[in-house]
Amino acid sequence: SSGINAEYGQTNLRKRVMYSCEIAIPFPSERLATIAMRSVAADKEPRKAETTRALRVTDSTLHVTVSSSQLGFLRVSVGSVMDLIKLSCDTMALFDIPPS
């Protein structure tokens, strides 16, 4: 499931809002989930200080967590991640040869 959560933290006596989006994408196998994770990991965030991305594979599910101090940056980053995952899936569908 995916969702957006706002977390509030105290920094230098003023409120700082962090937005995050957690996405879980199931794949047919752990190997394909790992290939997708590596494809997404190769693309770095352009505004590294303001947006972070955490990736992990559990069984055959790719888990992506994107966090940002600005909602607009979060939206752009999540869109980019989803585009990369779609491209990775399309490429795997065309070229992947299942292990024998």
Side-chain angles (χ1 to χ4, degrees):
S1 72
S2 64
I4 298 177
N5 302 308
E7 299 175 0
Y8 296 89
Q10 200 79 359
T11 305
N12 294 333
L13 301 178
R14 61 181 204 172
K15 282 188 179 179
R16 178 179 168 177
V17 178
M18 287 298 291
Y19 301 97
S20 66
C21 180
E22 298 176 11
I23 305 164
I25 302 165
F27 282 85
S29 70
E30 184 173 355
R31 185 177 73 84
L32 295 177
T34 301
I35 290 170
M37 180 186 71
R38 289 178 180 160
S39 297
V40 173
D43 183 61
K44 301 299 178 195
E45 288 293 333
R47 295 182 176 261
K48 193 170 185 132
E50 297 173 13
T51 305
T52 60
R53 188 187 297 165
L55 308 166
R56 71 178 169 29
V57 171
T58 304
D59 296 322
S60 62
T61 302
L62 171 60
H63 299 272
V64 180
T65 303
V66 181
S67 301
S68 181
S69 60
Q70 295 190 26
L71 196 53
F73 292 153
L74 177 68
R75 184 183 71 246
V76 169
S77 183
V78 169
S80 174
V81 166
M82 295 307 290
D83 288 343
L84 289 166
I85 291 171
K86 181 177 182 333
L87 178 62
S88 178
C89 289
D90 291 346
T91 303
M92 286 187 283
L94 286 173
F95 298 105
D96 187 52
I97 301 170
S100 53

